[in-house]
Amino acid sequence: MSDGVATAVSRPDTPASTRKDWVSDQEVRWCPGCGDFTILAAMQTLLAEMGARRESTVFVSGIGCSSRFPYYMNTYGIHSIHGRAPAFATGLAVARPDLDVWVITGDGDALSIGGNHLIHTLRRNVNINIILFNNQIYGLTKGQFSPTSEVGKVTKSTPYGSLDTPFNPVSLALGAEATFVARTHDMDRKHMMEVLRQAYDHRGTSFVEIYQNCNVYNDGAFNDITSKDRRADYLIPLVHGEPIRYGKDGEFGVSRGEDGMLHLVKVADVGEDALLIHDMSLDNPSQAFELSRLARGPHEPTPIGVFRSVDCPEYGYEVARQLAEVEGRKGIGDLSALLRSSGTWVVE
Amino acid sequence: MTLTTTSKNVKEVNQVVVRFAGDSGDGMQLTGSRFTAVTSLVPNDTATLPDYPAEIRAPAGTLAGVSSFQLHFSDHDILTPGDKPDVLVAMNPAALKAHLSMVKSGGIILVNSDSFDERSLGKAGYGSNPLDDGTVKPYRVYEIPMTKLTLEACKSVGVKPRDAERSKNFFALGLLSWMYTRPVQPTIDWIEERFASNEMVKEANLRSYKAGYNFGETAEIFEARYEVAPSRFESGTYTNVPGNTALAWGLVVASRLAKMPLFLGSYPITPASDILHELAKLKNFGVRTFQAEDEIAGAGSALGAAYGGCLGVTTTSGPGIDLKAETIGLAAHLELPMVIVDIQRVGPSTGIPTKTEQADLLAVVHGRHGESPVPVVAAMSPGHAFDAAIEACRIAIEYRTPVYLLSDGYVANSSEPWRLPDLDALPAIDPHFLDTPNHVDDQGNASYWPYVRDPDTFARQWAIPGTPGLEHRMGGLEHADGSGNVAYDTLNHEKMTQLRQAKLDAISKSIPLLAVDDPDGLGGAEVLAVSWGSTYPAVLAGVRRTRKRGLKVAMVHLVHLNPFPSNLGEILGRYRKIIVPEINMGQLWTLIRARYLVDAESISKVQGIPFKAAEIESAILDALDKRRVARS
């Protein structure tokens, strides 16, 4: 699906590894049937395939079901504070540009308590891969509505229905001008691995929303998109360079209407030439944002794939460049001279 | 050029307290720090107290907008910025009104008489002109038309009158330099360098400065000039920098001593921002500064960098420590090194951002959920902020723990002559990064366990990402000692809680024993004064005054507030009377009473300013009088 996009970079001197090498000795404690298992297996398989190095890989998480993820990866890992994983990961990635830093987060962790860190990490374009497991519910605290739950959600904390308008994580990331923004789901491991692969290869912050089923507190939230029988009519695949179309026979598509807006159309009505060609490399994030607004929730036809992937200066690299530049100009700092820089006098 | 001085009678004095006061746009901080700089060159001993409003430009001419800078200089060792000014320079009526009551009776007041018009008098809340109505009668007042004289001096420079007027602080500086026989050339050189990019401003400032100096020389209004003979200093190279600068340099030096790159995660806040500013300049020292989106991210990024093997530091003031608390708890739980700098200011809430207080002590010792012991080190003076920073980093790195470094608004912004340390003599700090496995499992596989400890210090063996074969997981969930695996069993939690406390307690073994300053030998004095942080100079000055009265007074100063030095309890037990002066409601007092069950007395002041020596002197006298009453 990734025409024109960098795929796996083979790294020299990397010992071959298999999925097993990336599995930690800890017992996985998610509920049986949880969507998180698929994501864990996909990640372990992908990193082995990509030739990543275990010692250079760090998983950082916040709090929530998804945030247990680092315990299960045989890499370096930190299970940190609710919402703060992007802040921790930013310090780590800026201090250690040699590392591959992943942030594993959920809809509550990333978008509620940690919303501020998320948007600022995205705007800075720090070299971190942020994987947001969106299950539209608070699972670990046993079932309250989350910032991505649909309006009217009946939960323990909203017995008469929730009143909050939800965030669309992809729109939010694009609003912060994230340089890599994608959405995938937990029922298509191949697609997920391809998206994660591109996220891994992207320089700067990658943001991947994964529709993830919570089979205990919000079962079936994404059934329209993920179930085999409905997927064709609800999942709009985004393929770079291809016309955007969906439906069993590709009979539907996305087209820009005379009003200047994007619309879902029948291909028969508008003709194939009127379909929008997906271009994830557009510098201006507006069209990607429009695509993210096509569905008001996962019960409507929803684009899945890479919305945006552009090259921009990476923050940690820029920090290192500035350090080198100043050192080149002034020379390596001399402590003795520093202490004398405000003028001195000598007492004999 | 050289400025000539000839005629007037020069009187020798031992010490002088000068306070410059004006509108916050009048450049009083600049004037004060320049006067301090040249005074240091004499060399006289100096101690300063800058005081300015929180607003960048508070309403001009009002009392709220007054900014001041007090300097105490002498021919002998002094400690405090002085209780009462001998000389007040008042650039407007508000400055006079705000500071007049503090001036010594019979003291000198230099006013810019041009600013005493009806409108300015009104803004300052004067119904009549204090220069005419007897208000200033107890003082020696010199009315000098500084604005007019400055404009006159700048006439041929070509600068607009409004801009020329802004040079009047240099007129005042020139006049004071004449009056106190300060060296002239260093200020001329400084003006030329500082304003090199703006020829007109440079020229206006130079001319105003010289005009002020020459005014003193030629105007027949001053009876005398004053001279303060050089103070005797220990031999060495000296500089004069504010505490925040010294603290920033201490962090850089610690980073070199530990060979760990410095990473500062920080969010701007008064009065801590100057540390961020200073470190942001030092990129060629390998310093990474990260201006975070908030206080939490400042701490979080510092901890992330620390996890990667950097010296992770976050700087803040009062409100910021509330927000950082959760991250510090995680650092204590993970056992990762990190330094949190708190430049205390008046609280609670936003409080008074530019005024000083010591009221965060209990918050940094106890202010986290759960049992979360964190070491605390406090700077006692601007120069000591350098040493305290290195000490905080040493404890953090060697014991793998977050450490609080306390300073306050007073230490941060004031300055004193600081003898530069011998950098080569500073001991290295060794992080002892582990690069080989420290555990073998039942099957004979080598691996790394993150919580294997040194039996004496309880410090854990530390491996950082990038080390092959030592991959491991850590987190905020309670874990087993050794393996670090998540562990929910309750007895393990008790063991881990005790271990974390034992590690904190073990730090006291690496802290030098406290030395008591008691001329009569340990336990000899009638009263012991305990100081911490920036109360040090005032307490020592107060103690010296009471000793001059023939009283037996001892003093002890605490740099380490958690854990306490191991002999503190023994020392406290030797004195029947103990006073603890603090710029809070008695926080150290609470801690030492709780810990050592001693009947200490709290001396509390919360006015946003340091203690005066006289206040300590009087507290000691009171303490001793009370004892006599109790006996009779």
Side-chain angles (χ1 to χ4, degrees):
Chain A
M1 63 171 269
S2 61
D3 289 358
V5 180
T7 47
V9 179
S10 72
R11 301 183 176 208
D13 311 324
T14 307
S17 64
T18 65
R19 186 191 153 200
K20 219 180 81 210
D21 295 313
W22 295 81
V23 177
S24 82
D25 60 358
Q26 299 298 297
E27 183 193 351
V28 182
R29 295 199 188 176
W30 288 313
C31 307
C34 176
D36 291 0
F37 285 96
T38 320
I39 308 171
L40 179 64
M43 184 67 82
Q44 289 163 338
T45 310
L46 174 80
L47 292 176
E49 271 184 30
M50 297 285 287
R53 303 186 74 105
R54 292 198 297 115
E55 72 271 20
S56 305
T57 305
V58 185
F59 281 89
V60 182
S61 64
I63 296 296
C65 293
S66 62
S67 288
R68 299 296 176 94
F69 195 95
Y71 288 119
Y72 310 136
M73 293 295 300
N74 191 13
T75 63
Y76 283 89
I78 285 283
H79 179 215
S80 76
I81 301 172
H82 204 13
R84 316 302 171 207
F88 187 101
T90 293
L92 180 61
V94 170
R96 293 288 304 275
D98 57 312
L99 301 173
D100 289 330
V101 182
W102 298 79
V103 165
I104 304 296
T105 184
D107 38 319
D109 193 56
L111 300 171
S112 198
I113 195 165
N116 197 35
H117 307 306
L118 179 72
I119 55 175
H120 287 277
T121 303
L122 295 173
R123 82 175 161 88
R124 289 190 193 105
N125 202 32
V126 189
N127 199 21
I128 298 171
N129 309 311
I130 299 176
I131 312 302
L132 190 159
F133 297 15
N134 182 8
N135 56 16
Q136 301 193 342
I137 200 79
Y138 279 68
L140 197 64
T141 49
K142 302 187 173 61
Q144 300 82 12
F145 77 102
S146 91
T148 55
S149 297
E150 66 276 17
V151 175
K153 185 84 174 168
V154 175
T155 69
K156 284 178 194 158
S157 63
T158 50
Y160 299 102
S162 64
L163 303 171
D164 306 37
T165 302
F167 268 137
N168 175 330
V170 167
S171 298
L172 186 85
L174 288 165
E177 294 194 48
T179 56
F180 182 96
V181 181
R183 177 188 286 141
T184 183
H185 66 92
D186 63 3
M187 293 300 282
D188 184 347
R189 191 200 285 205
K190 195 165 155 249
H191 184 268
M192 187 194 299
M193 280 179 61
E194 182 50 34
V195 166
L196 292 178
R197 185 194 315 278
Q198 291 185 51
Y200 178 82
D201 283 334
H202 179 74
R203 212 166 134 267
T205 311
S206 317
F207 178 84
V208 179
E209 179 194 18
I210 302 180
Y211 282 163
Q212 172 252 321
N213 190 42
C214 173
N215 57 325
V216 174
Y217 292 107
N218 203 17
D219 195 23
F222 306 106
N223 267 358
D224 287 340
I225 290 163
T226 60
S227 68
K228 292 250 158 68
D229 54 330
R230 270 184 281 190
R231 196 183 283 182
D233 289 336
Y234 285 91
L235 190 157
I236 307 175
L238 296 178
V239 182
H240 181 65
E242 298 287 326
I244 301 174
R245 61 198 299 175
Y246 63 106
K248 275 191 190 68
D249 305 308
E251 67 272 35
F252 304 114
V254 175
S255 177
R256 192 173 293 286
E258 280 175 7
D259 61 356
M261 313 288 275
L262 293 187
H263 297 278
L264 301 181
V265 294
K266 281 187 181 153
V267 178
D269 292 349
V270 298
E272 288 197 8
D273 290 350
L275 293 179
L276 186 72
I277 308 292
H278 181 48
D279 185 354
M280 65 186 182
S281 65
L282 293 174
D283 188 48
N284 187 325
S286 302
Q287 185 167 297
F289 187 82
E290 285 180 281
L291 286 170
S292 78
R293 306 310 294 169
L294 283 174
R296 285 166 296 179
H299 49 280
E300 294 179 355
T302 301
I304 298 282
V306 180
F307 287 74
R308 183 172 202 236
S309 177
V310 295
D311 268 337
C312 286
E314 189 270 308
Y315 186 82
Y317 174 84
E318 292 299 310
V319 169
R321 185 187 56 73
Q322 210 173 47
L323 254 64
E325 191 182 294
V326 175
E327 192 182 295
R329 200 152 19 113
K330 296 186 172 174
I332 293 175
D334 175 347
L335 288 180
S336 177
L338 175 65
L339 267 52
R340 286 163 173 77
S341 58
S342 286
T344 60
W345 68 96
V346 175
V347 176
E348 298 299 336
Chain B
M1 78 161 264
T2 51
L3 295 170
T4 50
T5 50
T6 46
S7 52
K8 300 214 171 129
N9 176 23
V10 175
K11 281 189 189 165
E12 183 134 341
V13 289
N14 301 114
Q15 58 180 332
V16 181
V17 178
V18 177
R19 185 180 291 191
F20 295 92
D23 211 44
S24 52
D26 280 345
M28 291 298 99
Q29 301 303 322
L30 183 82
T31 309
S33 56
R34 266 329 294 165
F35 194 75
T36 306
V38 293
T39 293
S40 298
L41 294 175
V42 169
N44 291 132
D45 198 5
T46 60
T48 67
L49 178 63
D51 186 12
Y52 48 91
E55 293 78 12
I56 303 303
R57 291 278 185 275
T62 63
L63 289 178
V66 173
S67 166
S68 73
F69 188 105
Q70 183 162 314
L71 166 68
H72 185 187
F73 59 103
S74 72
D75 64 358
H76 57 278
D77 169 27
I78 48 163
L79 297 155
T80 72
D83 291 0
K84 291 186 158 199
D86 299 294
V87 184
L88 172 69
V89 179
M91 300 303 283
N92 67 7
L96 181 72
K97 188 161 194 188
H99 295 288
L100 184 63
S101 65
M102 295 165 221
V103 179
K104 259 182 209 156
S105 178
I108 296 174
I109 296 174
L110 300 167
V111 296
N112 175 14
S113 53
D114 290 333
S115 66
F116 281 66
D117 54 31
E118 208 166 305
R119 202 164 152 261
S120 302
L121 290 168
K123 276 190 188 171
Y126 276 125
S128 59
N129 191 337
L131 303 178
D132 304 331
D133 67 5
T135 305
V136 295
K137 213 164 178 200
Y139 309 96
R140 277 186 289 158
V141 178
Y142 298 97
E143 297 179 33
I144 303 157
M146 295 191 203
T147 309
K148 259 189 223 108
L149 290 168
T150 300
L151 290 176
E152 192 65 33
C154 298
K155 221 173 196 173
S156 60
V157 178
V159 55
K160 283 183 208 137
R162 243 190 72 194
D163 294 333
E165 198 202 321
R166 295 179 60 184
S167 296
K168 64 182 184 294
N169 58 327
F170 282 96
F171 183 95
L173 180 62
L175 178 55
L176 264 283
S177 298
W178 172 83
M179 198 171 217
Y180 288 98
T181 55
R182 304 292 92 182
V184 168
Q185 197 57 40
T187 294
I188 293 175
D189 293 346
W190 181 85
I191 293 173
E192 286 183 339
E193 197 192 319
R194 168 79 182 252
F195 301 101
S197 61
N198 192 333
E199 188 60 31
M200 264 195 216
V201 172
K202 181 184 87 179
E203 203 48 38
N205 287 340
L206 273 178
R207 292 196 187 197
S208 305
Y209 175 70
K210 290 170 185 172
Y213 192 96
N214 291 331
F215 180 81
E217 182 64 18
T218 52
E220 299 285 327
I221 59 172
F222 301 103
E223 312 81 90
R225 305 174 73 197
Y226 301 89
E227 196 169 72
V228 178
S231 174
R232 249 185 256 150
F233 284 91
E234 215 178 321
S235 70
T237 302
Y238 285 78
T239 190
N240 199 317
V241 292
N244 270 350
T245 307
L247 192 153
W249 292 352
L251 295 172
V252 176
V253 168
S255 144
R256 282 277 175 93
L257 291 172
K259 299 193 173 70
M260 293 165 75
L262 180 58
F263 179 99
L264 174 73
S266 184
Y267 187 77
I269 184 167
T270 302
S273 302
D274 280 342
I275 302 172
L276 168 63
H277 302 161
E278 180 64 22
L279 290 174
K281 290 189 277 189
L282 305 181
K283 302 204 187 305
N284 57 328
F285 290 81
V287 178
R288 286 171 163 81
T289 51
F290 173 65
Q291 184 175 316
E293 59 271 23
D294 57 28
E295 295 281 0
I296 299 172
S301 60
L303 185 59
Y307 173 69
C310 283
L311 174 55
V313 178
T314 187
T315 48
T316 190
S317 182
I321 66 163
D322 295 352
L323 290 163
K324 294 182 196 294
E326 192 180 10
T327 307
I328 297 161
L330 177 66
H333 182 90
L334 293 175
E335 303 188 47
L336 278 173
M338 172 182 185
V339 173
I340 309 98
V341 179
D342 176 15
I343 312 296
Q344 300 166 94
R345 69 187 214 189
V346 166
S349 192
T350 308
I352 312 177
T354 56
K355 307 281 187 213
T356 195
E357 203 159 84
Q358 293 183 298
D360 294 350
L361 179 61
L362 289 178
V364 303
V365 173
H366 294 305
R368 289 164 299 285
H369 71 278
E371 294 288 352
S372 168
V374 170
V376 180
V377 173
M380 62 202 260
S381 65
H384 182 254
F386 176 87
D387 304 312
I390 295 174
E391 175 65 354
C393 295
R394 177 192 73 83
I395 295 173
I397 294 166
E398 290 182 352
Y399 290 84
R400 289 80 159 96
T401 176
V403 175
Y404 254 112
L405 170 55
L406 290 180
S407 172
D408 59 36
Y410 174 38
V411 168
N413 288 320
S414 63
S415 66
E416 61 177 2
W418 174 43
R419 192 163 71 104
L420 295 182
D422 176 3
L423 292 172
D424 297 330
L426 297 172
I429 302 170
D430 192 344
H432 288 289
F433 293 129
L434 197 70
D435 56 8
T436 52
N438 61 358
H439 179 74
V440 178
D441 69 15
D442 301 341
Q443 279 85 48
N445 299 315
S447 67
Y448 166 68
W449 275 17
Y451 294 94
V452 172
R453 296 171 192 281
D454 179 290
D456 291 327
T457 64
F458 299 102
R460 68 182 186 91
Q461 295 183 351
W462 181 22
I464 59 172
T467 317
L470 273 59
E471 297 82 9
H472 62 281
R473 276 65 55 194
M474 306 199 298
L477 289 170
E478 185 61 282
H479 46 246
D481 199 37
S483 72
N485 287 336
V486 174
Y488 291 138
D489 72 276
T490 52
L491 287 177
N492 173 71
H493 169 60
E494 187 165 53
K495 179 187 166 192
M496 291 305 293
T497 303
Q498 288 165 349
L499 262 174
R500 288 186 283 263
Q501 182 64 43
K503 185 175 78 167
L504 181 107
D505 295 338
I507 292 168
S508 63
K509 289 185 210 156
S510 74
I511 299 172
L513 290 179
L514 268 186
V516 185
D517 171 12
D518 187 341
D520 299 295
L522 177 62
E526 290 183 272
V527 60
L528 172 72
V530 181
S531 62
W532 75 272
S534 69
T535 58
Y536 170 79
V539 172
L540 180 54
V543 165
R544 283 181 185 172
R545 288 186 187 191
T546 52
R547 284 178 185 160
K548 274 190 192 149
R549 292 167 176 261
L551 298 172
K552 294 185 170 190
V553 182
M555 173 174 172
V556 71
H557 178 81
L558 293 172
V559 171
H560 298 88
L561 284 313
N562 198 30
F564 289 126
S566 53
N567 62 335
L568 176 60
E570 188 204 334
I571 290 169
L572 296 173
R574 300 294 282 268
Y575 294 91
R576 292 187 54 189
K577 198 88 212 174
I578 298 168
I579 61 163
V580 188
E582 297 176 84
I583 307 297
N584 60 41
M585 296 288 278
Q587 300 197 4
L588 175 65
W589 173 75
T590 301
L591 289 174
I592 65 172
R593 280 169 68 105
R595 176 75 192 268
Y596 301 108
L597 209 64
V598 292
D599 186 19
E601 185 189 342
S602 168
I603 308 297
S604 167
K605 175 178 179 180
V606 280
Q607 299 167 11
I609 49 172
F611 277 111
K612 294 181 166 68
E615 291 166 338
I616 302 295
E617 181 185 16
S618 135
I620 294 170
L621 294 176
D622 284 351
L624 293 173
D625 280 342
K626 274 181 204 163
R627 204 179 62 135
R628 275 197 280 279
V629 170
R631 269 186 188 166
S632 59

